[in-house]
Amino acid sequence: MAMYPPRAGLLCLGGDYNPEQWSSDVWREDVALMREARVNLVTVGVFSWARLNPAPGRYDFGWLDEVLDLLAGHGIAADLATATASPPPWFSRAYPDSLPVDQDGRRLTYGSRQAYCPSSPAYRAAAIELVEQLAGRYGEHPALAMWHVNNEYGCHVPRCYCDRSATAFRDWLRERYASLEALNDAWGTDFWSQRYGDWAEILPPRATPAFHNPGQELDFRRFSSDALLALYRSERDVLKRHTPAIPVTTNLMAALRTDLDYWRWAPELDVVSNDHYLTAADPESQIDVAFASDLTRGYAGGPWLLMEHSTSAVNWQPRNAAKTPGQLLRNSIGHVARGSEGVMYFQWRAARAGSEKWHSAMLPHAGTDTKIWREVCELGAALDRLGEVAGSTVDADVAVVFDYASGWAQEAPSQPSVDMTCFAELRRWHATLWRSGITTDFAHPAQDLSRYRLVLVPALYLVSDATAANLKSYVDGGGTVLVGAYSGIVDEYDRARLGGYPGAFADLLGIRVEEFFPLLSGQHVALSDGGTGTIWAERGRATTATVLATHLDPPVPGCPALTRNRYGTGTAWYLGTRLPEPDLARLIRDVSEQAGVRPVLLGGNALGPDVEAVRRRHPDGTSYLFLLNHGDHTIRVPATGTDMLTGDEIGSILTLPAGGVAVLRAKEE
C-alpha cells in the first residue's frame, strides 16, 4: 500500500477543502487554523470543474496555484482531485446527449452533480482533457501527495439506460460471450420468446411489461460497474503517465452503496479509500462504523484511508441528528482501530450556500468557539500520539464471504421470497460477531481463505464452479465454514443448478434439498434445539451430515434446519433457515468456539455489549489494543500496556469512562 503523506509514523487528518467557495482572504485563515488542528492532508478541487474550465478550451488555474502554494508553505499535503465528478453547465448544454437516462427513459438534467453518462464519448474526452491539464501543471508541485479521481462513482447514477449505454453494453457483451449463441444460452432466452438474432436487438433492461430477463439484468449491473471503472482507469492512466510515483485513489462508498463491485475496483487503486456516514436513526451506529471499516479493509487487503465522514450532522437524511460530545473522537478512532491510516472529513469549512450548507464540517458556521472545533483539535492531538500505528495490520481469525454479483442476483425480482436478502443478512452476521467481541474480515469467495480459522457464508446464492471449489478446498484443508440458507443455488449466469439444492455446496454440506418453503410475513417455526426459524424453510434430508436441529412445525416438520458435516479434515455447517438475533448469536458462538476462534479480550462480551476491542499489530510484535466504551457507564477492562493517548502505564486493569477511548501499546514476545 502506498503511504501518504509520504513519511512513516504519521496518520492523516484533514478533509475536503473547497476554497473556490470563499474569497482569497479566507484562505489564509484556513491554513492557519489547519495548522492549529494538526491537519496534514486536504482533498482539493473535487467540484471545481466550472472554475478550472469556465468555457470550452479556456482554463483558469490562478486560484488553484495560490491555494496549493499556501498549503505547501504551511506543510499541508494535497490530495488533488481531477474535478471530473460534476461537469459544468456549459458542457451539459453543449452536449445534451452526455446527460444520463433513467430506466423509464427520462433524461436527467444538470443543476445538481454527477450528471453524466459513463459511456458518453464527449464526457470522457472533456474529462481526459482536464486531467491532462491538471497533471501537466501540478505533477511536480510540492503540495501534491495523492491524486483523487472523480468522486463517489455511482452514488447518484449507478446505471444509465441511454442509447450510448446500450451500444457500450452490447460491446461489453460481445467481449464476455463472443457469440450470440453463447449469450442466448447464458440468459436462457428461449423463455418468453426473448431469443436474440442480432446484437443490435439487445437493450439495457429498460422499463418492460413484466419481469426482466434475470441474466440480462445481472449482466447490465456488471457492465454498469465496469463502465464506471473504465472511466476511473482512463483518468488514472493519464495521471500515472505524468506522475508514476504519486498514488491515485477514488473514494468508495462501502456500506452506503451496493451498486459497484468493489472487489473489482480495489486492485485498481493505489490507496483504497472510503466514505462513511452514520444513519441518525440507527441506535447502534458504532456497529455500522465497524462494518464499513471491515469491508474497506477487506477490499484493500490491509490498511486503507477514511476519506470522508462527518464531524456531526449530515444534511441528506430525513432527520439529521448531531453527534453527542465525544462521539467525533470515538467514531474516528473506531475507523483507525480497524485499519484506517487516518481520519478525513467532508468538509473543512462549513458551506454558506448550496444543498450541503447544513452538513457539519471541521470548522463550523459558529467558528472556533464550538464543541466541534475543540473536538477536532482533540482528535488532531490524539492522532499525533498514535502515529506509530500507521502501517500496522488488524488481527482477524474470521472472514465473512460475499460477492456483489451474487447479492444483485439474489435481490432481483421474481425470487422465492423478497425477505431472503443478501446485503442485510451480511450486516446481521457481522453485527453478531461484533457483539461477541470477534474482529471480522470480509473476503471474496475466490480468494485464499487458508489463514482463517472460520469462514462464514451468510448468503452466497450465485457461485461459479471455481469459487465453489475454493470453499471446498478451504474446508478440505482443515477449515471450518458456516453456510447460510439459499447459497450455492445458481451458477455465475444465474442459471439454476440441477439435481437438488444447495447445488454447488451439496457434497460439501452433506445435504440434499428438494424444495424451498418460504415462510409468510411474520411466520415463525419452532426448531428442535429450542431455537426459532424465520423467513425460510426447506424440504430436504442429510446425506452425510449430522442433523443438529430439525423443524418441529409445518411446513416441513422433521426436516433439517441445522447440520454439520465432516469434509476432508475440516467441518462444514449449514443453516437451512434464518434465525432471529439471539439464536444466531448462540449458533455463531458455538461454531466459533469449536473452530478455536476467541474474542479479542478473553471473556468476550462479558464486559457488556457496549465495549469494542480491536487489535492492530506490527510485524515486530508491537500490538495496539483499541478499546472504545460506547455505553453510559464506566467499565473496568482487564488489560496491560501503555495508554498512548494519556501516557499512563496500565498494570492489569484499565478504567474506561463512559464514551471513553484508550489505545494500549504492548510489545509481545
Side-chain angles (χ1 to χ4, degrees):
M1 173 184 170
M3 295 295 296
Y4 52 92
R7 52 188 193 274
L10 182 67
L11 294 172
C12 299
L13 174 65
D16 277 37
Y17 181 36
N18 299 292
E20 67 272 23
Q21 298 177 13
W22 302 91
S23 59
S24 59
D25 59 301
V26 177
W27 303 347
R28 282 145 188 84
E29 179 187 17
D30 284 333
V31 292
L33 289 173
M34 287 177 189
R35 287 292 299 268
E36 181 179 334
R38 295 181 170 88
V39 166
N40 54 34
L41 179 69
V42 291
T43 302
V44 183
V46 171
F47 293 111
S48 61
W49 191 341
R51 282 278 190 177
L52 293 169
N53 183 197
R58 183 157 64 89
Y59 291 92
D60 177 9
F61 294 111
W63 67 273
L64 187 54
D65 291 346
E66 185 176 351
V67 167
L68 292 178
D69 289 347
L70 271 172
L71 292 173
H74 287 76
I76 301 164
D79 169 36
L80 184 56
T82 59
T84 55
S86 187
W90 69 258
F91 172 82
S92 300
R93 186 164 172 250
Y95 301 98
D97 64 349
S98 72
L99 293 165
V101 172
D102 69 11
Q103 193 170 19
D104 292 325
R106 298 178 304 165
R107 189 173 292 278
L108 307 180
T109 190
Y110 57 92
S112 179
R113 67 179 191 178
Q114 219 169 82
Y116 61 84
C117 164
S119 301
S120 164
Y123 169 79
R124 180 175 294 203
I128 292 301
E129 181 181 334
L130 178 58
V131 175
E132 289 276 7
Q133 293 280 341
L134 287 165
R137 189 176 188 91
Y138 299 114
E140 297 185 4
H141 196 284
L144 179 65
M146 182 164 62
W147 290 108
H148 184 112
V149 175
N150 203 282
N151 182 73
E152 294 181 340
Y153 277 106
C155 175
H156 305 293
V157 187
R159 293 175 292 282
C160 176
Y161 297 80
C162 73
D163 288 341
R164 290 197 181 276
S165 293
T167 299
F169 181 40
R170 289 190 283 269
D171 291 341
W172 184 91
L173 292 170
R174 283 191 187 94
E175 184 174 348
R176 179 172 174 81
Y177 293 105
S179 71
L180 275 175
E181 188 59 36
L183 179 144
N184 281 313
D185 178 60
W187 287 5
T189 54
D190 282 318
F191 181 80
W192 279 0
S193 188
Q194 296 170 352
R195 188 170 186 82
Y196 294 105
D198 190 301
W199 290 102
E201 296 167 1
I202 301 173
L203 295 172
R206 296 166 177 165
T208 54
F211 297 123
H212 292 113
N213 180 297
Q216 177 191 23
E217 175 68 32
L218 176 59
D219 273 344
F220 190 69
R221 295 196 69 153
R222 287 171 166 144
F223 154 77
S224 297
S225 177
D226 283 355
L228 288 165
L229 180 55
L231 278 185
Y232 165 80
R233 288 188 184 120
S234 67
E235 294 190 28
R236 187 268 320 270
D237 291 349
V238 171
L239 298 171
K240 283 298 184 183
R241 175 162 43 82
H242 283 270
T243 57
I246 301 295
V248 182
T249 190
T250 189
N251 42 340
L252 309 183
M253 301 185 74
L256 291 171
R257 304 288 304 191
T258 60
D259 294 298
L260 304 186
D261 185 347
Y262 288 145
W263 293 120
R264 287 177 58 81
W265 281 68
E268 306 287 347
L269 278 60
D270 294 326
V271 172
V272 173
S273 65
N274 186 56
D275 296 354
H276 178 259
Y277 293 97
L278 302 183
T279 299
D282 182 358
E284 294 184 308
S285 58
Q286 67 270 20
I287 301 180
D288 197 58
V289 170
F291 179 75
S293 296
D294 291 343
L295 269 177
T296 313
R297 189 178 68 254
Y299 305 139
W304 54 282
L305 180 65
L306 176 65
M307 184 61 75
E308 288 185 27
H309 73 314
S310 66
T311 56
S312 192
V314 299
N315 67 295
W316 41 269
Q317 296 174 20
R319 297 164 190 84
N320 295 294
K323 289 187 177 181
T324 56
Q327 193 176 4
L328 180 154
L329 177 69
R330 201 164 56 253
N331 287 165
S332 299
I333 298 301
H335 286 290
V336 173
R338 294 175 183 270
S340 180
E341 296 290 80
V343 174
M344 306 281 283
Y345 290 97
F346 179 84
Q347 59 182 324
W348 161 250
R349 182 182 284 269
R352 292 186 66 185
S355 57
E356 291 184 305
K357 62 181 176 291
W358 302 123
H359 194 293
S360 61
M362 300 174 76
L363 182 60
H365 291 145
T368 56
D369 186 15
T370 55
K371 168 182 74 75
I372 287 178
W373 177 253
R374 286 186 285 273
E375 292 192 356
V376 164
C377 292
E378 178 189 12
L379 173 63
L383 293 177
D384 264 7
R385 298 185 191 109
L386 296 176
E388 68 180 76
V389 170
S392 61
T393 55
V394 176
D395 285 356
D397 290 333
V398 180
V400 174
V401 163
F402 84 102
D403 176 51
Y404 281 98
S406 178
W408 297 336
Q410 179 172 338
E411 296 189 358
S414 191
Q415 291 286 326
S417 172
V418 70
D419 300 316
M420 284 298 286
T421 58
C422 169
F423 298 110
E425 192 68 358
L426 292 173
R427 286 179 174 273
R428 284 208 320 132
W429 287 44
H430 177 271
T432 297
L433 289 158
W434 187 95
R435 295 187 186 100
S436 299
I438 296 172
T439 306
T440 311
D441 281 349
F442 282 90
H444 188 272
Q447 76 182 59
D448 181 9
L449 302 169
S450 59
R451 63 174 296 265
Y452 298 106
R453 293 180 181 270
L454 174 63
V455 170
L456 303 181
V457 186
L460 198 64
Y461 161 78
L462 177 149
V463 198
S464 69
D465 290 346
T467 55
N470 188 52
L471 282 167
K472 292 176 186 177
S473 176
Y474 163 75
V475 179
D476 186 50
T480 300
V481 67
L482 170 60
V483 178
Y486 204 43
S487 294
I489 304 302
V490 300
D491 66 13
E492 63 267 39
Y493 306 108
D494 200 8
R495 299 179 302 193
R497 291 180 175 274
L498 306 180
Y501 317 118
F505 298 141
D507 59 336
L508 170 65
L509 300 172
I511 60 171
R512 183 179 184 276
V513 173
E514 63 181 77
E515 188 175 3
F516 303 136
F517 279 80
L519 303 182
L520 300 180
S521 179
Q523 184 179 1
H524 297 76
V525 294
L527 305 180
S528 62
D529 64 351
T532 302
T534 68
I535 294 177
W536 190 259
E538 299 173 338
R539 177 176 296 281
R541 59 181 174 82
T543 54
T544 59
T546 299
V547 177
L548 303 177
T550 60
H551 291 267
L552 297 180
D553 298 332
V556 288
C559 287
L562 177 66
T563 61
R564 183 179 61 226
N565 190 48
R566 291 293 296 176
Y567 187 87
T569 58
T571 305
W573 300 63
Y574 179 64
L575 175 64
T577 185
R578 291 265 169 104
L579 299 178
E581 275 73 7
D583 293 343
L584 182 62
R586 176 166 56 91
L587 171 61
I588 289 180
R589 182 187 65 242
D590 291 347
V591 174
S592 298
E593 288 177 354
Q594 293 190 38
V597 173
R598 300 290 181 263
V600 176
L601 291 178
L602 294 181
N605 58 357
L607 294 169
D610 295 320
V611 181
E612 182 175 0
V614 185
R615 193 180 302 277
R616 290 182 66 160
R617 191 184 309 273
H618 273 304
D620 68 1
T622 305
S623 75
Y624 307 93
L625 177 62
F626 288 76
L627 296 165
L628 295 84
N629 183 358
H630 299 287
D632 298 326
H633 303 286
T634 296
I635 58 169
R636 288 167 55 82
V637 182
T640 60
T642 303
D643 187 343
M644 299 174 67
L645 298 179
T646 65
D648 295 340
E649 293 294 332
I650 309 301
S652 59
I653 299 294
L654 169 71
T655 300
L656 195 60
V661 175
V663 183
L664 303 186
R665 181 208 297 117
K667 183 76 172 185
E668 300 181 358
E669 300 300 330

